[in-house]
Amino acid sequence: RNSVKKMNLLSIVIFCFLLIIAINTLLNFLNWNKTKIQISNDEQLTILIPARNEESNIKRCIESIDISNDLIKEIIVLDDNSEDRTWLILEEISKINKKLTIKRGLKKPDGWSGKSYACYQLSKFPSTNWILFIDADTELKKKAPEKLLSYSIDNNVSMLSAWPQIEMKSISEKLLMPLLNFIVFTTFPAIYAKKSNMPSLGLAHGACILFNKKIYEDISGHELVKDSLFEDTDLAKKWRSNNQVSACINGLNIIKVRMYTSFKDIWLGFEKNSYPAFKNDIYFFSFQIFNFLFFSFPVILMPLHLLKIYENNLLFFSGLLILFLRILLSIKFKHPIWSSFFHVLAETVFLLISLSSFIKYNFLSGIKWKSRKYGK
């Protein structure tokens, strides 16, 4: 009888919490709008691209940039000690692209993550007041620089990230990648974060971040997150801690990225961030328990309810609510809706990735990413 009471209490807690989550998600759905050009200005910006082993992406990335656009003064790519044909491809492109400058990166010092050090080096070269970092596996969309710069100037934002359209082609991508947006946009209060500059509400996607260069230099830029593997959002939080304004906006009409191309890439990519994203073991395991209890457990029990093996109406409706939110965000971000019905499978895979990240980072030789290892 006590166990029944405890389960009933748990089901009430889960259902009530998911109602709050649903309201937040609905507000994000309705207000997370595409960015428009708001003002004209005479500023220019420099596009900065860190590239390590990007032979399959770098040409497409640079070709997506409209070099006839006077807003773009220069494009600087730093080859971060690539072990493939990245440098040779860049040399060929630079022969026909007059705005492109290519630099060889220095060897990464101890205590730095690879991307943070590459971005730190890149920041030394531009001559413009604004610098736009994009990843080598991204593609800019039409008028992207105008949308970013006008939003920053009009809203007095000195660090602006555009959450990209995530391109998915393989089955594993379509099955797993939508979970990223689900977790972020069910739990992140985007409207409140826009009105409040609390450090804990800092959010960024490293695929696309625009900075005011003077402020970036004044507060040390990527040096603030030199050892972070979760450098984008960590930098947004540090930015706000330094009394500067950061924002993350809808980038569906600004930039797209195919983050990973296979199941192996997805595993390694998320393994790199899953444990280091948390500051200590308590936060890490608290999140794993929270995520399972509220976002997986109700869906797991749905078939048992339908088969009358274990009936609990609140948990059943909680499961339905989770699937509804998955579908809602699939519509918003143009994900395949069918992947919503494999929610538990995706959650299980990411739980295994997280545990692997924890074990490798703490007890084995470290987390490997782009032929570099990180760990304690």
Side-chain angles (χ1 to χ4, degrees):
R1 186 174 295 178
N2 286 334
S3 62
V4 172
K5 285 184 178 180
K6 288 179 181 178
M7 182 58 75
N8 287 337
L9 178 61
L10 178 62
S11 64
I12 292 171
V13 171
I14 291 174
F15 184 72
C16 291
F17 178 80
L18 285 173
L19 283 179
I20 297 171
I21 288 291
I23 293 170
N24 180 65
T25 306
L26 188 60
L27 289 172
N28 286 342
F29 179 86
L30 295 174
N31 293 279
W32 188 253
N33 298 317
K34 293 179 180 178
T35 306
K36 299 178 181 179
I37 300 173
Q38 300 170 359
I39 59 172
S40 59
N41 56 77
D42 297 324
E43 291 281 1
Q44 285 188 303
L45 58 78
T46 299
I47 295 178
L48 303 174
I49 308 173
R52 178 172 171 83
N53 299 337
E54 295 287 356
E55 64 180 9
S56 60
N57 296 314
I58 192 64
K59 188 172 187 290
R60 184 172 61 252
C61 174
I62 295 173
E63 288 180 347
S64 74
I65 302 170
D66 180 11
I67 59 173
S68 66
N69 188 345
D70 292 335
L71 179 66
I72 303 170
K73 183 177 181 181
E74 55 191 345
I75 305 163
I76 305 175
V77 181
L78 183 125
D79 180 1
D80 181 18
N81 297 276
S82 293
E83 300 160 330
D84 61 5
R85 297 182 62 254
T86 298
W87 180 262
L88 296 176
I89 294 170
L90 286 169
E91 282 187 319
E92 289 299 314
I93 300 172
S94 66
K95 293 176 182 177
I96 57 175
N97 187 327
K98 301 306 178 185
K99 288 189 176 182
L100 175 63
T101 301
I102 56 177
K103 302 284 187 179
R104 287 193 183 272
L106 301 175
K107 183 180 178 182
K108 182 184 76 67
D110 291 340
W112 282 83
S113 70
K115 185 173 180 182
S116 288
Y117 188 58
C119 291
Y120 172 79
Q121 293 176 81
L122 276 166
S123 69
K124 305 299 181 184
F125 302 121
S127 58
T128 55
N129 295 326
W130 293 87
I131 52 177
L132 173 60
F133 288 94
I134 64 172
D135 283 351
D137 55 1
T138 62
E139 293 179 59
L140 284 179
K141 297 191 176 185
K142 187 177 180 181
K143 301 291 183 181
E146 286 90 339
K147 292 167 187 170
L148 291 164
L149 191 55
S150 65
Y151 185 96
S152 292
I153 294 173
D154 193 54
N155 293 279
N156 195 31
V157 174
S158 55
M159 174 183 176
L160 179 66
S161 179
W163 196 270
Q165 174 192 345
I166 299 176
E167 191 176 19
M168 295 167 279
K169 295 182 180 181
S170 69
I171 294 295
S172 57
E173 291 171 85
K174 293 175 182 178
L175 185 66
L176 299 172
M177 292 307 297
L179 195 60
L180 172 62
N181 284 343
F182 171 77
I183 291 175
V184 171
F185 292 99
T186 52
T187 57
F188 181 71
I191 298 174
Y192 184 61
K194 186 177 179 181
K195 296 179 180 179
S196 167
N197 205 46
M198 286 176 57
S200 61
L201 294 178
L203 178 70
H205 196 297
C208 178
I209 309 180
L210 177 73
F211 294 98
N212 177 293
K213 186 172 183 285
K214 183 179 186 307
I215 294 175
Y216 178 96
E217 291 174 337
D218 287 346
I219 64 175
S220 303
H222 279 85
E223 194 170 5
L224 289 171
V225 290
K226 59 190 296 185
D227 60 348
S228 176
L229 293 176
F230 200 56
E231 81 293 328
D232 43 16
T233 291
D234 280 349
L235 186 51
K237 294 176 193 267
K238 294 278 189 181
W239 203 263
R240 289 173 170 227
S241 295
N242 280 273
N243 298 315
Q244 303 299 330
V245 180
S246 78
C248 186
I249 59 174
N250 186 328
L252 289 177
N253 65 338
I254 292 176
I255 193 166
K256 69 176 180 178
V257 57
R258 188 178 181 193
M259 293 177 65
Y260 309 111
T261 60
S262 66
F263 179 79
K264 180 182 178 182
D265 288 343
I266 293 170
W267 185 286
L268 294 174
F270 280 94
E271 187 179 60
K272 169 180 70 79
N273 287 329
S274 293
Y275 177 72
F278 300 90
K279 302 307 177 189
N280 59 50
D281 293 354
I282 294 175
Y283 290 160
F284 172 77
F285 285 107
S286 295
F287 173 79
Q288 303 308 325
I289 294 169
F290 164 89
N291 191 48
F292 173 79
L293 194 60
F294 290 102
F295 288 147
S296 293
F297 183 59
V299 183
I300 292 171
L301 290 185
M302 287 179 70
L304 300 182
H305 180 90
L306 292 172
L307 294 170
K308 299 187 182 301
I309 296 172
Y310 174 78
E311 294 185 74
N312 186 307
N313 289 329
L314 279 180
L315 287 177
F316 179 73
F317 285 117
S318 295
L320 286 177
L321 191 54
I322 291 167
L323 294 180
F324 169 73
L325 297 180
R326 277 292 310 258
I327 292 170
L328 194 68
L329 290 173
S330 291
I331 294 169
K332 185 70 173 180
F333 291 102
K334 300 179 181 178
H335 300 155
I337 291 176
W338 62 261
S339 69
S340 303
F341 299 99
F342 293 87
H343 176 75
V344 173
L345 176 59
E347 286 276 17
T348 302
V349 171
F350 278 107
L351 175 60
L352 294 174
I353 291 173
S354 296
L355 293 176
S356 175
S357 177
F358 170 76
I359 293 168
K360 286 185 177 180
Y361 191 87
N362 287 285
F363 304 111
L364 299 180
S365 57
I367 297 167
K368 188 174 182 180
W369 180 246
K370 294 198 173 183
S371 70
R372 288 173 172 148
K373 282 199 171 182
Y374 302 93
K376 290 184 177 180

